[in-house]
């Protein structure tokens, strides 16, 4: 998956079961690639408070995600990982 590919992002959105109508709402707000979705809010995976993500998502699609929240979480986690900003289980330490 290419982090900057609109086609890859749209394909994954639909593959996860997110409606094309919701994809169109995201795209209308210029969230068309994984990197764009990864930074829709200040939330980061494993943060305790996902309210910034839920609020941003609600704003983007015009309503709270409801039962689709786990699907959007997965898309966010994948997007964040593709962006190169997050590597689970790896901490970056300065070299001595």
């Amino acid at each position: 998956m290419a982090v900057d590919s609109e086609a890859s992002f749209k394909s994954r959105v639909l593959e996860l079961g997110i409606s094309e109508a919701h994809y169109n709402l995201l795209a209308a707000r210029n969230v068309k690639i994984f990197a764009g979705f990864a930074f829709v809010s200040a939330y980061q995976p494993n943060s305790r408070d996902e309210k910034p993500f839920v609020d941003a998502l609600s704003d983007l699609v015009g309503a709270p995600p409801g039962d689709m929240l786990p699907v959007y979480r997965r898309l966010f986690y994948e997007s964040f990982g593709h962006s190169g900003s997050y590597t689970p289980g790896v901490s970056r330490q300065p070299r001595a």
Side-chain angles (χ1 to χ4, degrees):
M1 284 184 227
V3 70
D4 292 324
S5 169
E6 291 182 26
S8 292
F9 180 73
K10 182 177 183 179
S11 175
R12 187 62 180 146
V13 166
L14 299 177
E15 184 179 309
L16 287 172
I18 296 169
S19 70
E20 186 147 4
H22 273 206
Y23 169 78
N24 290 335
L25 290 168
L26 294 171
R29 298 285 296 275
N30 206 30
V31 178
K32 302 176 189 176
I33 60 176
F34 290 104
F37 194 72
F39 299 104
V40 296
S41 75
Y43 174 75
Q44 293 186 11
N46 296 326
S47 294
R48 290 181 184 223
D49 181 14
E50 69 180 359
K51 186 175 182 335
F53 173 64
V54 174
D55 289 348
L57 185 56
S58 298
D59 181 54
L60 288 168
V61 298
D67 292 344
M68 290 299 291
L69 182 57
V71 177
Y72 278 108
R73 277 188 197 121
R74 180 172 178 173
L75 179 63
F76 182 79
Y77 183 83
E78 290 176 8
S79 297
F80 207 79
H82 289 314
S83 74
S85 297
Y86 180 69
T87 307
V90 175
S91 62
R92 293 190 173 123
Q93 304 269 336
R95 293 182 185 205

